[in-house]
Amino acid sequence: MRLIWLALAIWGTIHPMSYFLQWFNENGYDLMAMVNAWHANAASSGLVWDLTIAAATLTIWVLWEAISRRRWLDLLAIPATFCIGVSCGLPLYLFLRSGRES
């Protein structure tokens, strides 16, 4: 499973980033314009909130486990989640988590 988590983390980095970079190339590197585009309609706003809540939940889980188990490398999943997305952060965390002896 560990290699599957890693493959999903890589895919979760490359696939969304290709869309983000395409959008930035077409519309300029204005982060607030991108945020406004995310809220273009009720459907996209719902997806934004869905992913925001998932990212917050993942962050709390990562923080809880990293602090309680002193697994500081696992904290890499947090910037991956907020800089790339849950599609990268969650499988990256599962990859990092699966490498430890329980």
Side-chain angles (χ1 to χ4, degrees):
M1 280 306 295
R2 191 157 200 263
L3 291 178
I4 292 171
W5 300 139
L6 180 59
L8 287 169
I10 293 167
W11 182 25
T13 300
I14 294 170
H15 201 134
M17 288 304 289
S18 68
Y19 287 101
F20 294 152
L21 292 174
Q22 178 184 348
W23 190 91
F24 281 131
N25 287 333
E26 292 172 1
N27 298 285
Y29 287 82
D30 183 354
L31 187 57
M32 288 314 298
M34 179 179 252
V35 171
N36 290 335
W38 290 344
H39 293 282
N41 57 54
S44 62
S45 289
L47 287 172
V48 167
W49 280 109
D50 179 65
L51 291 171
T52 300
I53 294 165
T57 303
L58 176 59
T59 298
I60 292 165
W61 181 29
V62 169
L63 285 170
W64 178 265
E65 286 211 341
I67 291 168
S68 65
R69 297 169 194 235
R70 300 181 189 272
R71 296 272 309 181
W72 309 119
L73 189 62
D74 293 358
L75 294 172
L76 289 174
I78 295 172
T81 298
F82 286 97
C83 294
I84 300 168
V86 176
S87 63
C88 173
L90 177 58
L92 176 63
Y93 179 63
L94 293 172
F95 168 76
L96 294 169
R97 189 174 192 268
S98 66
R100 71 169 152 243
E101 298 293 322
S102 295

